[in-house]
């Protein structure tokens, strides 16, 4: 009795198509709801559709150091340029390598093109400056003799600096506008670099930086101007952060901003630069196995060792915050560790690091020593009008392609075209919603090649339906009724669809890996739509076909169903012969009749 039960379920049968339909319906509702909940109801457009500026930079190594143009250094440069673009207050910018020696910077419209070129095309400026004062990032009242406020300073959480011991998080210093002004005045008037009783003087003054120690109106005027600039600086404003240290020479004191945590900023009053980025020989983030913590190690050149030894000998004797030095990249403080002892050829920065933050700081410090410069190869400006025209042309092409596919399906498959059109609609909806969500999630931007990939995907998706429909028709031609034909056709159609989609996805993956820039948009879209094709065919097309096969219109082979046995060439004598042969062989499943 067991053998006949097995024969009652055709190969590849699906007894409960409602489960698959419920699953894909839930997925569609969840994704669509997430799209509206996030507020991103349209896909993010790339620079070629939204308009903007595209800058191509070419890396050049110093003579004799051609090997400096390598993947590690190029990736570090990308990170530095991203910081600069963010400093311009630009969102949704793209910075990526192209080939071995090029970097592409795509900046959306609304950005000052001249300023962007100046920012992304220049070599990074890295300096070590002593900290004179630090306070919260908001603007403070103008300094006065009666000023008594004491805003709590928030130190950089990244680290303390030490020779080999564990770093300790610096205590939170207190500073006022008047004390900040006195610290700067003392630094400018310090008679010598030898440590004295003045913390401020010993923390920042050198013969090179301070100049003539005599009190003249010029230093007083400069001091007052810098003090006022420090008080008025608002680090919460991206434009003020970007402009804080612009035009300041390394030998002059300055103000700068530093991010302690996402959205939390401190502002710094800094002395003249004591060590430059080119004095760093090597830096990297590493895991200290003995202490179980991430640290950043630094090695200096011979000249850099002497400079670093001189500044750390002065800073280590001071109280916080004058015992700290700020690592300043392009005018922004990336770390401000404290010094606990005199250091020379090497040092480590330890503190609240994880692997990513330690490696990022190591890359930044290493970049100051990179023998790389960048020259601008090209600057292309795409207007919003041109981008709109390209998008409109792409959408028209897609609509024409979709229309031709629908006309073909209706003319050739008649009633079956309804299943194909519904499946195309589900695939289009899922593609749109996922693209809209991927914009804020991973920065995916829909550019013109990506639109082309979506258009090509229409043919790939339609091809899957055609494969399944033709397998069903083959079963009908052999004399089977529709319901068993639908189930028997599925295993063979499924294999063909999977092989075809695997080849398409493999091509898209290889194209995405080996190419850069806009071509990756085409590959990504093609791969995404190929995966969705598998999902739609398995969870929508097949279950819907199973349900419609139970209806009278399709089950009895109506002339407009696309499954009429007479039109397909299925001859009744052939079906009678098969029944007679089957009767002679033994019992037959009623569904095969």
């Amino acid at each position: 009795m067991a053998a006949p039960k097995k024969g009652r379920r055709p190969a590849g049968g699906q007894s409960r198509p409602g489960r698959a339909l419920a699953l894909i319906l839930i997925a569609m509702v969840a994704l669509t709801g997430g799209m509206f909940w996030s507020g991103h109801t349209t896909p993010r457009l790339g620079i070629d559709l939204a308009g903007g500026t595209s800058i191509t930079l070419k890396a050049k190594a110093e003579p004799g150091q051609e090997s400096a143009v390598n993947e590690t250094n190029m990736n570090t440069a990308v990170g530095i340029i991203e910081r600069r673009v963010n400093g311009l207050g630009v969102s949704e910018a793209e910075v990526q390598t192209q080939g071995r020696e090029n970097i592409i910077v795509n900046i959306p419209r609304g950005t000052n093109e001249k300023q962007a070129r100046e920012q992304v095309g220049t070599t990074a400026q890295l300096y070590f400056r002593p900290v004179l004062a630090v306070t919260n990032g908001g603007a403070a009242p103008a300094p006065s003799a009666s000023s008594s406020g004491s805003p709590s300073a928030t130190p950089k959480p990244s680290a303390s600096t030490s020779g080999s011991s564990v770093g300790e998080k610096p205590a939170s210093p207190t500073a006022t506008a008047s004390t900040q002004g006195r610290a700067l005045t003392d630094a400018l008037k310090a008679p010598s670099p030898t440590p004295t009783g003045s913390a401020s003087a010993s923390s920042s003054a050198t013969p090179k930086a301070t100049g003539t120690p005599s009190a003249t109106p010029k230093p007083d005027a400069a001091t007052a101007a810098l003090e006022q600039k420090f008080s008025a600086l608002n680090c919460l404003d991206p434009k003020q952060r970007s402009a804080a240290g612009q035009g300041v020479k390394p030998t002059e004191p300055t103000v700068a901003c530093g991010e302690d945590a996402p959205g939390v900023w401190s502002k710094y009053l800094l002395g003249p630069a004591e060590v430059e980025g080119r004095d760093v020989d090597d830096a990297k983030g590493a895991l200290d196995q003995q202490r179980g913590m991430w640290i950043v190690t630094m090695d200096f050149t011979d000249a850099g060792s002497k400079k670093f030894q001189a500044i750390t000998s002065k800073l280590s004797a001071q109280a916080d915050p004058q015992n700290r030095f700020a690592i300043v990249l392009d005018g922004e403080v990336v770390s401000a560790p404290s010094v606990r002892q005199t250091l020379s050829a090497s040092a480590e920065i330890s503190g609240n690091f994880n692997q990513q933050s330690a490696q990022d700081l190591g890359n930044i410090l290493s970049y100051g020593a990179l023998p790389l410069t960048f020259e601008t190869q090209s600057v292309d400006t795409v207007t919003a009008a041109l981008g709109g025209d390209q998008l409109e042309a792409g959408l028209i092409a897609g609509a024409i392609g979709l229309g031709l596919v629908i006309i073909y399906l209706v003319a050739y498959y008649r009633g079956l075209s309804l299943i194909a059109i519904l499946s195309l609609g589900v695939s289009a909806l899922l593609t749109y919603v996922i693209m809209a969500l991927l914009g804020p999630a991973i920065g995916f931007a829909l550019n013109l090649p990506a639109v082309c990939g979506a258009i090509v995907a229409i043919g790939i998706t339609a091809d899957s339906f055609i494969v399944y429909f033709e397998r069903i028709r083959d079963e009908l031609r052999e004399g089977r009724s529709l319901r068993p034909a639908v189930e028997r056709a599925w295993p063979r159609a499924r294999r063909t669809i999977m092989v075809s989609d695997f080849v398409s996805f493999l091509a898209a993956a290889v194209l995405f890996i080996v190419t850069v820039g806009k071509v990756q948009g085409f590959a990504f879209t093609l791969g995404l739509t190929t995966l969705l094709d598998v999902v739609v065919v398995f969870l929508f097309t097949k279950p819907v076909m199973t349900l419609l096969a139970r209806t009278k219109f399709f089950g009895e082979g109506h002339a407009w169903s696309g499954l009429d046995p007479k039109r397909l060439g299925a001859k009744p004598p052939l079906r009678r012969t098969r029944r007679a042969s089957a009767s002679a062989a033994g019992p037959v499943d009623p569904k095969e009749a």
Side-chain angles (χ1 to χ4, degrees):
M1 296 297 293
K5 285 186 177 181
K6 286 185 177 180
R8 293 177 185 175
R9 186 175 181 179
Q14 179 178 311
S15 59
R16 296 183 179 178
R19 289 185 177 181
L21 291 174
L23 181 60
I24 195 170
L25 179 62
I26 292 172
M28 292 169 59
V29 172
L31 290 172
T32 305
M35 180 183 70
F36 284 103
W37 177 79
S38 67
H40 299 277
T41 56
T42 57
R44 174 175 167 242
L45 299 181
I47 189 173
D48 54 351
L49 297 180
T53 303
S54 180
I55 304 173
T56 302
L57 304 174
K58 183 177 181 180
K60 298 185 65 176
E62 294 181 1
Q65 303 190 55
E66 285 74 15
S67 60
V69 182
N70 54 52
E71 182 180 0
T72 300
N73 291 347
M74 291 292 287
N75 290 336
T76 301
V78 167
I80 301 299
I81 294 174
E82 284 180 337
R83 291 175 60 88
R84 293 179 177 182
V85 173
N86 292 334
L88 297 173
V90 177
S91 60
E92 301 181 352
E94 298 175 356
V95 183
Q96 56 190 350
T97 58
Q98 184 179 59
R100 179 176 175 271
E101 57 185 15
N102 293 327
I103 291 179
I104 306 297
V105 184
N106 293 327
I107 304 175
R109 67 179 184 272
T111 305
N112 186 308
E113 179 184 327
K114 181 179 179 181
Q115 184 183 15
R117 291 181 60 177
E118 292 175 351
Q119 287 287 331
V120 303
T122 57
T123 304
Q125 301 296 319
L126 179 68
Y127 298 107
F128 293 73
R129 291 177 177 267
V131 176
L132 302 180
V134 57
T135 185
N136 60 56
S144 63
S146 61
S147 176
S148 60
S150 58
S152 174
T154 306
K156 292 290 290 182
S158 58
S160 300
T161 300
S162 61
S164 60
S165 61
V166 178
E168 298 174 358
K169 188 175 180 180
S172 298
T174 301
T176 64
S178 59
T179 58
Q180 294 156 6
R182 287 196 299 273
L184 178 57
T185 303
D186 292 341
L188 291 172
K189 293 183 178 181
S192 70
T194 304
T196 65
S198 170
S200 299
S202 63
S203 67
S204 61
T206 65
K208 177 182 177 182
T210 57
T212 305
S214 59
T216 62
K218 185 176 181 180
D220 290 341
T223 300
L226 188 59
E227 179 184 351
Q228 184 171 359
K229 183 178 181 181
F230 177 66
S231 299
L233 176 61
N234 182 7
C235 290
L236 303 180
D237 184 350
K239 293 183 178 179
Q240 291 194 40
R241 290 200 303 266
S242 178
Q246 289 187 1
V248 179
K249 298 179 181 179
T251 55
E252 298 176 350
T254 186
V255 297
C257 297
E259 191 174 20
D260 304 321
V264 180
W265 293 83
S266 292
K267 58 181 177 180
Y268 292 81
L269 186 63
L270 305 175
E274 301 284 353
V275 183
E276 298 183 11
R278 62 187 178 186
D279 294 321
V280 178
D281 185 53
D282 187 28
K284 60 183 178 181
L287 178 62
D288 188 322
Q289 298 287 354
Q290 293 182 346
R291 292 178 287 177
M293 61 186 297
W294 282 92
I295 61 173
V296 178
T297 60
M298 293 186 295
D299 295 322
F300 293 91
T301 62
D302 293 339
S305 297
K306 296 177 182 179
K307 297 178 184 179
F308 196 65
Q309 183 177 15
I311 184 61
T312 54
S313 67
K314 292 182 293 183
L315 297 182
S316 61
Q318 309 307 317
D320 194 81
Q322 282 82 22
N323 69 336
R324 302 164 67 186
F325 67 82
I327 302 171
V328 185
L329 177 68
D330 288 338
E332 182 179 316
V333 177
V334 295
S335 184
S338 60
V339 179
R340 297 208 305 265
Q341 66 185 68
T342 301
L343 304 166
S344 57
S346 62
E348 73 173 35
I349 303 176
S350 59
N352 301 330
F353 285 117
N354 55 31
Q355 179 178 359
Q356 186 63 46
S357 60
Q359 292 176 346
D360 288 346
L361 181 56
N363 289 339
I364 289 173
L365 293 172
S366 296
Y367 188 80
L370 290 183
L372 289 180
T373 57
F374 291 91
E375 62 179 18
T376 303
Q377 293 290 99
S378 64
V379 179
D380 299 321
T381 301
V382 180
T383 65
L386 178 59
D389 292 342
Q390 292 177 334
L391 178 60
E392 182 179 357
L395 293 177
I396 291 174
I400 292 174
L402 181 60
L404 292 175
V405 170
I406 291 176
I407 291 173
Y408 169 80
L409 290 173
V410 172
Y412 190 74
Y413 288 108
R414 301 194 177 189
L416 283 178
S417 64
L418 175 64
I419 303 174
I421 293 172
L422 288 175
S423 300
L424 285 171
V426 171
S427 180
L429 176 62
L430 289 174
T431 302
Y432 180 89
V433 172
I434 291 176
M435 284 184 176
L437 291 173
L438 288 179
I442 64 172
F444 172 75
L446 184 65
N447 52 28
L448 193 59
V451 174
C452 294
I455 295 173
V456 171
I458 296 175
I460 295 176
T461 305
D463 181 64
S464 299
F465 308 150
I466 291 173
V467 168
Y468 186 32
F469 294 161
E470 288 302 322
R471 292 294 187 186
I472 294 175
R473 288 181 159 201
D474 288 342
E475 294 294 331
L476 292 176
R477 290 188 183 98
E478 291 180 5
R480 293 185 178 86
S481 59
L482 181 59
R483 292 182 64 177
V486 167
E487 303 304 334
R488 292 178 66 91
W490 174 240
R492 290 190 294 169
R494 179 178 59 202
R495 286 192 296 268
T496 304
I497 292 171
M498 291 295 293
V499 170
S500 175
D501 284 346
F502 175 77
V503 172
S504 297
F505 183 79
L506 183 62
V510 172
L511 192 63
F512 184 85
I513 293 171
V514 302
T515 59
V516 295
K518 298 177 181 179
V519 180
Q520 284 187 328
F522 172 84
F524 183 87
T525 306
L526 183 61
L528 174 64
T529 51
T530 300
L531 290 177
L532 288 178
D533 175 48
V534 176
V535 172
V536 171
V537 170
F538 274 71
L539 299 182
F540 185 81
T541 306
K542 169 57 171 62
V544 169
M545 189 70 236
T546 300
L547 293 176
L548 292 182
R550 301 171 184 176
T551 63
K552 182 178 180 181
F553 180 79
F554 286 95
E556 294 184 358
H558 191 279
W560 284 96
S561 67
L563 299 171
D564 182 6
K566 293 182 179 180
R567 288 179 175 273
L568 296 177
K571 299 180 180 179
L574 174 64
R575 290 153 67 177
R576 286 197 298 270
T577 302
R578 290 176 58 87
R579 283 199 302 271
S581 301
S583 299
V588 178
D589 188 343
K591 293 182 180 180
E592 295 290 343

